[in-house]
Amino acid sequence: MDKKIQITAGFLGMTAIIFGAFGAHALKTILSTSELNTFEIAVKYQMYHALFLLFLGINDKMDLKMKKSIFLLISIGILLFSGSIYLLATMNITTINFKVIGIVTPIGGLLLILGWGLFAIQFIRNKS
């Protein structure tokens, strides 16, 4: 499980850097300042959670079941949260209206919050 978490963390971190560079260079002249700022928020949250997953993957003081739950919440959460923000921020340069997927952004955010909450609960329960 730890290897899967670490690989996912590496992939999310790598793609966050790629998306960040893409936003800073290729999209800089195409998107409005507001759209670019929105895009950058998605990149930041993706990177924060890649680092979180990396820490989770190297942590040996956690129950495996809890670790799996946190991994799923964070992975799905970042896909929904950052993924929907990427699409919404770049909507004006595509011919696709992504406004209908806007509802998944807060759902993704809620999953991220729940993942962090489970993480905190695990350490509260751990007496050592």
Side-chain angles (χ1 to χ4, degrees), residues 1-125:
M1 185 71 201
D2 288 340
K3 185 174 182 178
K4 183 177 183 179
I5 295 171
Q6 292 166 1
I7 290 169
T8 303
F11 176 77
L12 288 173
M14 176 187 70
T15 55
I17 293 168
I18 291 168
F19 290 156
F22 182 67
H25 299 289
L27 297 179
K28 187 177 184 179
T29 59
I30 300 171
L31 297 181
S32 70
T33 303
S34 176
E35 291 166 334
L36 196 56
N37 287 338
T38 300
F39 190 89
E40 289 173 357
I41 288 170
V43 171
K44 287 177 186 177
Y45 272 78
Q46 182 175 333
M47 182 57 83
Y48 297 153
H49 289 88
L51 294 171
F52 176 75
L53 287 177
L54 180 62
F55 178 74
L56 183 68
I58 63 172
N59 189 312
D60 62 353
K61 296 186 190 307
M62 289 198 112
D63 173 65
L64 182 61
K65 185 178 176 186
M66 184 71 86
K67 197 179 263 197
K68 283 182 179 181
S69 297
I70 294 168
F71 171 68
L72 285 173
L73 287 168
I74 297 298
S75 297
I76 296 168
I78 204 61
L79 178 69
L80 296 178
F81 184 81
S82 287
S84 64
I85 291 175
Y86 290 133
L87 294 175
L88 291 167
T90 58
M91 188 170 58
N92 288 334
I93 61 173
T94 67
T95 58
I96 303 167
N97 183 351
F98 290 114
K99 285 187 180 180
V100 294
I101 66 158
I103 189 65
V104 302
T105 308
I107 294 169
L110 178 62
L111 294 177
L112 296 173
I113 292 166
L114 291 172
W116 279 98
L118 284 181
F119 182 76
I121 288 169
Q122 177 67 31
F123 284 99
I124 291 168
R125 289 182 180 166

